[in-house]
Amino acid sequence: MCGIIGVENTQDAATLVAAGLMTLQHRGEESAGITISGNANMKTFRSMGLVSRLVNADALNKHDGTAAIGHVRYTTSAKSSLINAQPFQIECIHGQVAVAHNGNLTNFIKLRDTLLKKGAIFNHTSDTEIFLHLIAMSKGNFPNVVAKSMSLVEGAFSLVVLRDKTLIGARDVNGFRPLVLGKLGNSYIVASESAAVEVLGGKYIRDIKPGEIVVIEDGKIIKSFFYKKPKKQHTCIFEQVYFSRPDSVAFGQSVKAARMKMGQFLARQMKGIKADIVMPVPDTGYYAALGFSRESGILFEQGFVRNHYLGRSFIKPAQNMRDMTAKLKLRPIKEVIDGKEIIVIDDSVVRGTTSRRMINVLKEAGAKKIHFVLSCPPIIGPCYYGIDTPLKEHLIAATQSVEEIRKYLGVESLTFLELKNLVNSCCPSQTCKSVFCTACFTDKYPTRISKDAYKECG
Ligand code: AMP
């Protein structure tokens, strides 16, 4: 997954983008980048690791510009390298252009092969570079050129594009990944999540619509149009379950409210269950556990303390530290857990490996009985639209029954939120028009997936 943001019409554009990226840090910790434009030449700063590493660079603070875009990246480790850190900046017939992308293109390999045969030179291995080639090869009015590039790609893409002082925010026709529009004084902000707008002191205005391209310049929306007629949207329901911040509005619905509802529904599914406490796996399980507690009347407790200073980049390369990771990341509070029958709420089971380690940590802390509860259904299909889920054979629920998983995890009971209850949690009102992509739970994909669909977050 990745996070993107753009700010225009302010001398503080780079600083605001940096602060916005810090708010989007949970969407990607592997690399960060900012492109600044509008006054002098366009310049891009990129770095591996957290946004804080980038922001410390003196050059970033000194570079003058009135518009900026930024990106935080989350990929599989093999492809995580500085060369693929975004934004990508090029010089072409349209001048200097930069793009930052959240999502996955499902026809990337095919498009790249076609472009290679035409003589295109690729500098990156990320699918995002396709947009730059398509933009560079197309003539005409710039927003139309961006629209044309979007009409040729398939899959999931929310984009921020920068050219001189013009900022463009755009979403694919299915609306897989979120992108919101906000206002701060005389400036517009485009960001993956509303929290990134609000942290800057801005106001969330609305979601950019599936298929919409919003062109912004000098604090005004100079054009808003659709590159393709949207038929049916397929917003990613996993944004509500796991990815988005609880203080964000995702696809028009408060993430915190949706997670509370998931907990309520789970308590109804498990009506009559007796336990001493209900506790979350921090941080994503927090509101579902609170909702469960309120619905069931079972006492809510915080049985884990999470260490917030362990980045993925620290944990991943250290193979010999894998087993220690669960203990480093989550420390149990023995006093809360010892001798108790507990309901533990997490968002999802993917491979099952970290869940098993976490459950062992609870047993070592003296848990008498553990009921493990998940705020989504079993994940049976990989995501081709930007969530970093492994291939089908590594998804525990794709190969094992719920009872087999329960035994493997070593818990008293195992409960998944039913799909209809998940959808109702995320779309409760009569007026809600959201239609979700639930492919990871159903193995039914809303778009064509080519055999070589690119499984890498742009
Ligand atoms: P596992 O033990 O492999 O099933 O991992 C379960 C944990 O992974 C849960 O605590 C989730 O919060 C977390 N998780 C779910 N989806 C992702 C993802 N795409 N990337 C990283 N962690 C995830």
Side-chain angles (χ1 to χ4, degrees):
M1 185 51 71
C2 300
I4 55 175
I5 182 165
V7 179
E8 57 82 53
N9 201 37
T10 165
Q11 288 295 339
D12 295 328
T15 322
L16 292 169
V17 163
L21 284 182
M22 285 180 175
T23 313
L24 297 174
Q25 188 76 82
H26 62 288
R27 299 183 70 90
E29 294 182 5
E30 292 183 18
S31 66
I34 298 179
T35 300
I36 309 165
S37 179
N39 275 358
N41 268 344
M42 181 180 272
K43 194 151 173 71
T44 297
F45 301 87
R46 299 179 302 156
S47 147
M48 293 306 285
L50 300 181
V51 181
S52 51
R53 269 172 79 173
L54 186 75
V55 175
N56 284 338
D58 274 355
L60 170 67
N61 300 328
K62 279 185 202 142
H63 197 78
D64 197 14
T66 57
I69 60 171
H71 186 272
V72 285
R73 186 159 194 256
Y74 180 126
T75 59
T76 53
S77 63
K79 288 157 191 163
S80 176
S81 60
L82 188 58
I83 192 91
N84 283 337
Q86 297 189 31
F88 291 163
Q89 179 186 332
I90 53 156
E91 173 105 32
C92 64
I93 47 166
H94 307 287
Q96 291 176 310
V97 176
V99 173
H101 164 215
N102 175 205
N104 271 5
L105 306 185
T106 49
N107 63 342
F108 163 69
I109 304 286
K110 204 167 132 209
L111 280 176
R112 193 181 61 167
D113 286 350
T114 313
L115 289 164
L116 283 171
K117 279 179 196 143
K118 284 186 182 167
I121 299 164
F122 280 78
N123 289 316
H124 313 266
T125 55
S126 156
D127 54 355
T128 305
E129 197 176 3
I130 287 288
F131 287 107
L132 297 169
H133 282 284
L134 296 174
I135 287 170
M137 283 173 178
S138 192
K139 292 198 186 99
N141 161 289
F142 189 65
N144 290 344
V145 164
V146 173
K148 192 171 168 202
S149 75
M150 292 171 70
S151 67
L152 293 171
V153 297
E154 289 170 12
F157 46 97
S158 284
L159 298 176
V160 283
V161 183
L162 191 62
R163 179 181 174 245
D164 195 11
K165 58 183 178 174
T166 308
L167 170 67
I168 295 180
R171 256 175 104 195
D172 70 73
V173 75
N174 286 288
F176 285 111
R177 300 280 141 239
L179 196 65
V180 304
L181 189 66
K183 191 94 210 269
L184 170 66
N186 295 324
S187 305
Y188 272 100
I189 304 169
V190 176
S192 293
E193 291 189 35
S194 62
V197 172
E198 287 163 359
V199 82
L200 306 179
K203 198 169 174 322
Y204 160 74
I205 300 174
R206 67 172 174 89
D207 285 12
I208 292 181
K209 297 185 187 110
E212 187 183 8
I213 299 177
V214 180
V215 186
I216 305 161
E217 213 176 280
D218 295 327
K220 291 184 196 71
I221 294 179
I222 56 168
K223 197 171 178 183
S224 157
F225 65 110
F226 290 81
Y227 75 93
K228 231 184 221 175
K229 219 169 165 222
K231 285 184 205 147
K232 201 171 170 190
Q233 67 180 47
H234 293 103
T235 54
C236 167
I237 206 161
F238 209 63
E239 286 280 346
Q240 298 279 21
V241 172
Y242 176 78
F243 251 101
S244 291
R245 292 170 58 115
D247 54 343
S248 280
V249 171
F251 312 126
Q253 158 82 347
S254 149
V255 175
K256 178 242 171 199
R259 290 188 186 161
M260 292 280 287
K261 282 250 171 221
M262 293 170 205
Q264 266 178 8
F265 276 116
L266 280 164
R268 284 180 208 160
Q269 279 180 222
M270 295 173 72
K271 207 169 166 44
I273 182 99
K274 301 256 180 305
D276 297 306
I277 58 164
V278 52
M279 58 172 270
V281 178
D283 293 321
T284 29
Y286 183 88
Y287 287 105
L290 198 58
F292 191 109
S293 166
R294 293 206 181 148
E295 180 72 19
S296 63
I298 298 172
L299 183 69
F300 174 90
E301 277 276 16
Q302 295 262 33
F304 274 128
V305 176
R306 181 171 163 191
N307 185 332
H308 287 266
Y309 303 99
L310 299 173
R312 270 168 64 95
S313 44
F314 164 69
I315 296 165
K316 271 209 150 184
Q319 288 296 334
N320 56 349
M321 289 185 73
R322 280 250 159 117
D323 280 335
M324 212 195 278
T325 303
K327 287 182 188 165
L328 273 173
K329 202 170 171 185
L330 293 174
R331 281 278 303 138
I333 302 177
K334 206 170 162 52
E335 180 214 323
V336 175
I337 294 158
D338 198 11
K340 306 264 175 59
E341 177 159 358
I342 57 180
I343 296 171
V344 183
I345 306 206
D346 200 356
D347 56 271
S348 56
V349 170
V350 185
R351 290 180 174 83
T353 44
T354 47
S355 305
R356 191 169 136 129
R357 287 191 195 109
M358 180 270 296
I359 282 156
N360 283 337
V361 167
L362 290 172
K363 286 181 181 167
E364 280 167 29
K368 196 170 75 189
K369 280 184 185 172
I370 301 171
H371 303 276
F372 193 39
V373 178
L374 288 313
S375 57
C376 73
I379 298 177
I380 57 167
C383 180
Y384 295 101
Y385 308 121
I387 302 273
D388 179 27
T389 42
L391 295 172
K392 207 173 167 75
E393 54 266 36
H394 299 301
L395 292 167
I396 190 167
T399 52
Q400 295 191 39
S401 69
V402 173
E403 177 55 16
E404 284 167 333
I405 303 171
R406 184 196 69 75
K407 280 191 187 140
Y408 168 76
L409 296 176
V411 289
E412 196 72 16
S413 73
L414 175 66
T415 307
F416 291 91
L417 183 63
E418 288 166 19
L419 185 57
K420 66 172 190 313
N421 289 340
L422 174 60
V423 171
N424 281 338
S425 305
C426 299
C427 192
S429 75
Q430 295 301 322
T431 54
C432 173
K433 292 206 175 58
S434 280
V435 181
F436 295 103
C437 173
T438 55
C440 50
F441 310 126
T442 58
D443 211 17
K444 293 193 180 88
Y445 295 85
T447 65
R448 190 173 54 163
I449 302 290
S450 62
K451 265 200 219 117
D452 51 7
Y454 200 57
K455 265 203 98 278
E456 161 101 345
C457 181

